[in-house]
Amino acid sequence: MRADPADRIGRANQPPGTRKRKGKMKRWLWRFVRAVSIVVAALFGISILLVLPLRWINPATTAFMIADERDLDEIRFEWTAIEDMSESLALAVIAAEDQRFFDHAGIDFASIKKSVEDARRRGAGLRGASTITQQVAKNLYLWRGRSFVRKGIEAYLALLIDFTWPKRRILEVYLNVAEFGPGIYGVGAASKIYFGKPARAISDAEAARLAAVLPNPIRLNAGNPSEYVRERQRWIVGQMQRLRREQVLLAIHGKS
């Protein structure tokens, strides 16, 4: 389609300086868009390199452990394959932390919406709605504390982890990197320290007590539980029994 003669006349009548400025602005905008695209592509590539290998390779440490090594004399961590764990441990953390674990894609938007609605109704702050996958991302790669920046990165990594890892692997890594006390990471170390037995021998009640301290393993003690921890433990056992009736263990083993 031919340009309108009036448009051509208008452009011809523009001062040369105006045309140059517009040309420079277009070139600058194109360079900016190209630079942003390169940065985004590079960050995506780095995140893939950080996340994908751990689908098969067991992490030797985590960001949380590295941070703790500066403040604590000893980090107690023992990798335990999910096949060598009591099924009660997987069921307990699902019951306590993320009962929709098998239904979401790394972020539980339904729980976030409910949390926002509850906060508005009560006029209080938001309660936690982090999934197990988000906690894996946080423990492996990020830092302690709360900020919108960290939550944004955590959400992105959780989506990437859920997309690239099977649910069973996410659960296995979580059970090995979750903090159960100051410097105590994973159910392998926690089972021996608190109960004097390997992870494969842990009962429902013991698994529920470990899961009960996950919201704040620095203040809550699985070895010397407060009444709050015991009350939470009893609630988790009840939830475990319900989930077992609903055959959640089949999903853990990839049979549903």
Side-chain angles (χ1 to χ4, degrees):
M1 185 173 70
R2 287 187 174 183
D4 190 323
D7 290 341
R8 291 201 301 271
I9 293 171
R11 287 196 296 270
N13 290 334
Q14 287 180 346
T18 300
R19 292 199 297 272
K20 286 182 180 180
R21 283 196 298 273
K22 286 186 175 180
K24 287 182 179 179
M25 186 174 296
K26 286 181 179 178
R27 287 195 297 273
W28 180 88
L29 183 60
W30 165 244
R31 289 171 183 168
F32 175 76
V33 170
R34 185 173 61 178
V36 170
S37 300
I38 292 171
V39 170
V40 169
L43 291 175
F44 177 72
I46 291 169
S47 65
I48 289 290
L49 291 175
L50 286 172
V51 168
L52 187 58
L54 296 190
R55 173 172 177 162
W56 303 283
I57 301 171
N58 298 332
T61 188
T62 70
F64 273 31
M65 291 183 206
I66 292 170
D68 270 355
E69 285 172 352
R70 295 193 294 263
D71 303 318
L72 301 173
D73 294 333
E74 182 183 8
I75 299 296
R76 286 162 287 187
F77 167 64
E78 177 183 326
W79 182 271
T80 306
I82 197 168
E83 295 85 1
D84 296 326
M85 298 178 192
S86 164
E87 291 179 336
S88 299
L89 289 163
L91 204 58
V93 297
I94 291 172
E97 298 289 288
D98 188 0
Q99 294 192 15
R100 287 173 43 80
F101 176 66
F102 291 102
D103 299 323
H104 60 67
I107 299 176
D108 190 352
F109 292 103
S111 291
I112 292 172
K113 181 180 177 182
K114 186 175 185 301
S115 177
V116 171
E117 291 172 350
D118 289 347
R120 286 176 177 171
R121 188 167 53 250
R122 298 193 316 267
L126 288 175
R127 62 178 175 80
S130 290
T131 64
I132 283 174
T133 316
Q134 286 175 267
Q135 293 179 59
V136 167
K138 177 179 67 177
N139 276 265
L140 283 176
Y141 304 111
L142 302 176
W143 59 93
R144 299 181 191 274
R146 296 176 180 272
S147 71
F148 287 114
V149 171
R150 200 213 68 184
K151 290 299 289 186
I153 299 172
E154 176 188 304
Y156 165 71
L157 290 173
L159 292 170
L160 185 60
I161 288 170
D162 194 272
F163 182 73
T164 56
W165 299 6
K167 290 287 189 180
R168 178 180 169 88
R169 177 59 173 172
I170 295 171
L171 196 57
E172 179 178 45
V173 173
Y174 178 66
L175 287 164
N176 276 285
V177 303
E179 188 176 14
F180 291 95
I184 302 171
Y185 289 89
V187 295
S191 298
K192 290 181 178 178
I193 290 169
Y194 293 124
F195 305 114
K197 59 176 72 172
R200 72 170 64 89
I202 292 296
S203 67
D204 275 12
E206 291 164 339
R209 197 198 299 179
L210 289 177
V213 307
L214 285 172
N216 194 336
I218 304 302
R219 295 183 60 186
L220 304 177
N221 191 324
N224 183 25
S226 63
E227 183 54 36
Y228 169 79
V229 170
R230 291 193 180 278
E231 181 180 347
R232 183 167 163 79
Q233 176 188 17
R234 289 190 288 270
W235 178 84
I236 293 171
V237 169
Q239 295 299 303
M240 291 169 67
Q241 293 169 350
R242 179 181 62 78
L243 293 174
R244 188 174 276 119
R245 289 194 298 271
E246 295 173 3
Q247 298 185 319
V248 169
L249 286 174
L250 296 179
I252 293 172
H253 293 294
K255 298 176 182 176
S256 68

